[in-house]
Amino acid sequence: MAVGNFEFYSQCLRRNVSFRVILPNDGDPKDGEPMKTLMLLHGYNGGYSDWLWNSNILDIAQSHHLCIVMPAGENSFYLDGEATGRQYGTYVGKELLEYVRKTFRLSQHREDTFVAGFSMGGFGAIHTACQFPQNYGGAIALSSALLVNNLNSMKPGDDNGIANYAYYQLMFGDLDTAKDRDVNPEKLLKDLKAAGNIVPKFYVACGEQDFLLQANRQFEEFLREQGIEHCYQEGPGEHNFEYWNRHIGPGIDWMLKNGW
C-alpha cells in the first residue's frame, strides 16, 4: 500500500496543484487487469486529506484493489468558472483523471472509473459524472449539497449561514438562471437522455437528521421520474463522517456490483 502527495501543473487551474493518491500496489491486480479508479472529493471548507483522517478509506482501497485519488477542490463546488484558472470541473473530470491514468497505468475505461464525495463533494461527484459521462460510470453522493434549484431565492446581500450571495454567484453564475444551465446536474442529465447518450448511475445517501435531506429526496425523485438507475439510502444520521463512513463502503460495493 502506497499513500503519496503529488504535484503537477494544471492547465485548467493555471498553477501547480497538489493531490493525494492511495495505491494498493501489493501484489498483482486481479486477473492482470488495470486497476480501477475512484476520484474522492471533499466538502466545503475541507481539504484533500479529510477522507484519510476521518474514514477507513485505506482499508477499502486495499480490500477492493482500488486506486483512490483525492484532489484539492477548495470551495469550488467542482464547477467550471468563467474566470481564467477556475476550471475545477474539467480539472477533476478530465485533466487530473487523464494524468493519474497515465502515471499509474490505471484502467482507461469509464466502467472502471467512478467519483464519490460528501456535501459539496457529493454535489461535485454528481455533477462531474454528468459533465463527463464518457469518463465516469457512476457517482456515489453522500449528503450532497444540491442547492442549485433554490439559489434563485437569494438576493444581493443575503447570507444563508454557510456563504453569502456573492460566493454563490461566483460559483454558479447568475443565480436566477442557475437551475436552467449546465451548473445544474438535473439539466445535464435531461440533455444526456434527450441526445441518447450514456447516462451514469448513482448511489445517493443522506441522513434523516441532515439539513440537506429534502434536497437529496428531491434529487432521488428526479432520478425515479427520469428512469435513471440508482440506489437511494436514508436512515438515522447527521451531516458528519459518522454517517458518511456507514455509506462509502456500501456505495462502492453497489457501484462495483451494479454500476458496470
Side-chain angles (χ1 to χ4, degrees), residues 41 44 58 77 113 147 179 193 223 231:
L41 310 181
Y44 180 78
L58 286 170
F77 267 81
T113 312
L147 309 174
K179 68 179 182 179
K193 289 196 65 181
L223 294 176
C231 174

Side-chain angles (χ1 to χ4, degrees):
M1 171 76 72
V3 180
N5 275 21
F6 297 85
E7 184 175 311
F8 79 115
Y9 184 84
S10 166
Q11 294 290 343
C12 290
L13 303 183
R14 298 296 178 92
R15 54 185 168 85
N16 285 345
V17 294
S18 298
F19 63 94
R20 303 199 77 167
V21 171
I22 303 172
L23 195 66
N25 55 357
D26 308 87
D28 296 325
K30 182 180 178 181
D31 300 325
E33 297 175 355
M35 196 176 298
K36 295 178 172 65
T37 307
L38 170 64
M39 189 73 67
L40 192 57
L41 310 181
H42 64 77
Y44 180 78
N45 283 343
Y48 65 178
S49 294
D50 287 355
W51 281 102
L52 277 174
W53 291 115
N54 296 292
S55 76
N56 64 337
I57 201 65
L58 286 170
D59 292 337
I60 291 173
Q62 185 71 52
S63 63
H64 291 79
H65 205 77
L66 184 68
C67 177
I68 298 180
V69 182
M70 294 165 284
E74 301 172 8
N75 288 335
S76 67
F77 267 81
Y78 304 94
L79 292 170
D80 285 337
E82 292 186 11
T84 300
R86 290 197 58 85
Q87 280 62 60
Y88 286 92
T90 303
Y91 166 63
V92 169
K94 185 175 186 293
E95 183 183 36
L96 178 59
L97 179 62
E98 290 178 352
Y99 182 83
V100 296
R101 279 176 167 175
K102 178 178 65 176
T103 302
F104 301 110
R105 298 182 180 179
L106 305 175
S107 172
Q108 301 287 318
H109 303 299
R110 68 177 296 277
E111 296 83 2
D112 295 335
T113 312
F114 55 109
V115 56
F118 65 87
S119 196
M120 180 191 79
F123 173 90
I126 293 170
H127 191 275
T128 298
C130 296
Q131 185 179 4
F132 296 96
Q134 72 276 20
N135 291 340
Y136 290 95
I140 301 166
L142 310 178
S143 304
S144 302
L146 293 158
L147 309 174
V148 65
N149 284 321
N150 300 315
L151 291 176
N152 58 357
S153 65
M154 293 193 75
K155 305 301 177 186
D158 284 354
D159 190 313
N160 64 4
I162 299 173
N164 62 16
Y165 175 91
Y167 165 79
Y168 290 111
Q169 187 179 50
L170 177 63
M171 296 304 110
F172 293 90
D174 179 14
L175 301 189
D176 289 334
T177 63
K179 68 179 182 179
D180 300 316
R181 291 185 285 105
D182 286 352
V183 293
N184 187 351
E186 292 184 8
K187 197 263 186 186
L188 291 176
L189 284 169
K190 287 180 179 178
D191 290 347
L192 288 174
K193 289 196 65 181
N197 292 330
I198 194 165
V199 176
K201 300 175 177 64
F202 299 94
Y203 180 97
V204 180
C206 191
E208 292 173 346
Q209 287 73 46
D210 196 308
F211 70 100
L212 292 169
L213 178 60
Q214 190 57 36
N216 281 262
R217 285 177 171 173
Q218 289 172 352
F219 183 65
E220 193 273 334
E221 182 178 357
F222 168 83
L223 294 176
R224 279 192 286 110
E225 290 174 348
Q226 295 294 316
I228 295 172
E229 186 174 350
H230 68 283
C231 174
Y232 181 73
Q233 300 289 329
E234 285 189 10
E238 300 181 4
H239 199 76
N240 55 36
F241 266 100
E242 182 179 352
Y243 183 79
W244 303 326
N245 281 331
R246 294 205 299 268
H247 284 279
I248 185 62
I252 291 171
D253 289 339
W254 183 88
M255 198 64 66
L256 290 172
K257 182 179 179 181
N258 301 291
W260 307 320

